[in-house]
Amino acid sequence: MIFLDAAATTPVRREVLEAMWPYLTGDFGNPSSHHTLGDTAATALASARDSVAAVLGCRPGEVTFTSGGTEADNLAVKGIALARQAARPQLNRVVISAVEHPAVEESARYLERFHGFAVDVVPVDGTGLVAPESLRAILRPETALVSIMYANNEVGTVQPVAELAAEARHAGVPFHTDAVQAAGWLPLDTGTLGVDAMSISGHKLGAPKGCGVLFVRGRTRIEPLIHGGGQERGRRSGTENVAGAVGLATALTQARQEEQRRRVAALRDAFINAVLTGVPGAVLTGHPTRRLPSVASFCFPGTSGESVLLELEREGVVCSSGSACAAGSDAPSPVLTALGYEAEVAQTAVRFSFDAAVTEEDLNTAAGAVRHAVESVRALGG
């Protein structure tokens, strides 16, 4: 099997599992307990927080461990908007892009339904990019928060986050970015990016499912969504997942190096060229150059994306039609329709996403399988 669905999840790396193992076995204490086992767990949790903070270029106290990217997005969007509205009731608008992950979009819609917020959606161009001037035009004195993702999970387009954050900062509005797909591939220094909040998920970079991080800059007010024992500086109550935090910190500090990024990007480009030249009518989606090293996504007009996926799996290639969160839906991808694709074309989408371990042989084999799969589906009438 050639696994080309790393944007959905990645296997736990051996060094990550080894770092976690003590806190799943002998050192199993609750970090809030005042005895030796608890102290050992608390020390491990603090060390993990320090390691994450070093990667993000922030203070340890600005790192909140969560159950994953979805919780981190919910906490950022709801928590910051509600806290700002509580302090200034006139702040009743949030800005998101047209290509956000459902965790961000649905959080914004929740604020709209239950707390009277208006949701302003900034458009993207045909490659999925948000222009800074488009964000500037949509910002208003009532805007409580801007949330625009760092890199898109379906088409791989990388946003000009530093420029977008600067526009928000100039307007006095906090800026959150969903960096779930960017983590491990793109720079995450929060000072350089100028963001006020950032979400990360462990299972996208070799840590287990069920662990994540939200960075929130110290001066940014945030209302907790989970109440109880006051863990995580009151931002996220509940007994901490010490092993998960250790695993995420290990994965993040040992993430792909620049040499690996360049290698994977070169393989991606060769794969894109092989598909575009080998499959008549194939369309690359997303930005041609401002894209993750790890994502190549296409539409194959005259097919069904799901049918192509089934053919590819028969040939030993595992990939997806887009976001794993929307798997099984017959509706066209909102991301692709936001880019301007007609619904019938958007429904032919297939996404290939790679881990750092991908090889040239893997992608050469996959490119051949794509040609055969598309030919087979088209021969059967889609």
Side-chain angles (χ1 to χ4, degrees), residues 3 37 47 68 90 109 135 150 157 178 198 211 285 295 372 379:
F3 181 74
L37 277 175
S47 178
Q90 69 271 28
R109 296 302 175 188
L135 175 59
Y150 196 168
T157 297
D178 176 335
M198 175 188 286
C211 57
T285 62
V295 174
H372 183 264

Side-chain angles (χ1 to χ4, degrees), residues 208-360:
K209 302 169 187 68
C211 57
V213 158
L214 177 64
F215 154 77
V216 182
R217 197 169 298 284
R219 64 173 181 269
T220 304
R221 297 185 182 192
I222 188 164
E223 177 66 27
L225 305 185
I226 301 175
H227 301 88
Q231 290 89 346
E232 297 297 300
R233 297 170 66 90
R235 290 175 172 166
R236 200 266 187 187
S237 290
T239 302
E240 299 93 339
N241 177 4
V242 177
V246 169
L248 190 151
T250 303
L252 199 57
T253 55
Q254 298 183 13
R256 301 98 177 179
Q257 302 301 310
E258 184 58 34
E259 182 179 344
Q260 288 178 308
R261 297 185 187 107
R262 288 196 301 269
R263 185 187 73 84
V264 173
L267 292 177
R268 174 208 62 196
D269 291 343
F271 175 72
I272 289 172
N273 183 63
V275 172
L276 293 179
T277 57
V279 180
V283 177
L284 178 70
T285 62
H287 198 280
T289 57
R290 286 188 62 99
R291 64 188 306 123
L292 287 168
S294 55
V295 174
S297 53
F298 305 90
C299 286
F300 300 113
T303 72
S304 155
E306 293 296 329
S307 297
V308 173
L309 290 180
L310 290 172
E311 280 297 317
L312 285 170
E313 189 161 6
R314 288 190 189 101
E315 299 198 23
V317 177
V318 176
C319 51
S320 70
S321 57
S323 172
C325 299
S329 172
D330 291 331
S333 161
V335 169
L336 293 179
T337 55
L339 269 61
Y341 291 93
E342 297 293 333
E344 59 270 22
V345 175
Q347 287 175 314
T348 73
V350 178
R351 178 190 69 184
F352 303 88
S353 50
F354 327 127
D355 198 358
V358 72
T359 67
E360 183 178 5

